[in-house]
Amino acid sequence: MSTRGILRPGAVGRAFSLERRPPPDDLKRLVESHWIVAWELGDRPPYTSEVLPHPSVHLVFEPGEASVYGVQRRRYVRRLAGSGWAVGTKFLPGGFAGFVDRPVSDLTDSVFELDALFGADGRRLAMKCAAQPSVEAKLSAVHRFLRDRIDGGRDPRLELVQAITAEMRAAAPGERVRAIAERHRLSVRTMQRLFSDYVGVGPQWVLKRYRLHDAVEQIDRRGDVDWTRFALDLGYYDHAHFNRDFRALVGRTPAQYGLELGG
């Protein structure tokens, strides 16, 4: 199971449980996965969970809450204490765009109650999921809600966004936004507008976040690291630039994060 984006992934299974479930086939072009998180810490000290941002919108249900999270550009920090749970739907980049009548960038760094985006239908979904005791029943209600709002026709702009973000996810170190835009016969400005409408953040942000996700995963797997060589292998011009980007997102330097894993 992927723990991509979770800082200190060794806590999965110890401080909290994480389960991922694939969406049904007819929603796979819009939804990446469902996730279920639960914790039962009892008298143990609280645990601070940290997750790096993805270029994805999330639909999240917790006890007494039902919310849509736009793309969050800062890492998500949550203090887990006692017991609790959350059930979420993670949309593919661009996958949420067809469900709202505004640019997805209007949702960025914000959290909305369901009725703020979907009115009475959102309230009904929140109430229905709150009344359902099982994860399966909650997800079934979400699937019905999404299916009722899907336009069955093709959206070439969405397909283009998804092709570009998939290319970014697999991009070689040092790849540049301009080169990706040129391969898709777009100007950088056109690609920026497309990402604002569909993804919620710009293409440079997405490319950089995927690069930093790769960096964290490699640090999670490796022992001793030559940080200068590591930064160059990721496509950075120098160690200082990598350190600056990493610290801005993760809250500590790569070396400090590596020491946390060792401890």
Side-chain angles (χ1 to χ4, degrees), residues 9 26 75 89 134 136 183 190 202 212 239 242:
D26 62 327
R75 73 185 184 282
T89 297
S134 71
E136 290 74 16
R183 284 198 292 275
T190 297
L212 289 174
H239 179 214
F242 168 56

Side-chain angles (χ1 to χ4, degrees), residues 88-103:
T89 297
K90 179 183 180 182
F91 290 83
L92 288 163
F96 194 73
F99 297 105
V100 288
D101 58 357
R102 63 178 83 176

Side-chain angles (χ1 to χ4, degrees), residues 66 112-123 126:
F112 297 84
E113 294 184 358
L114 285 190
D115 60 354
L117 293 181
F118 300 111
D121 289 345
R123 285 193 295 275

Side-chain angles (χ1 to χ4, degrees), residues 105-120:
S105 57
D106 285 358
L107 312 182
T108 299
D109 290 328
S110 299
V111 181
F112 297 84
E113 294 184 358
L114 285 190
D115 60 354
L117 293 181
F118 300 111

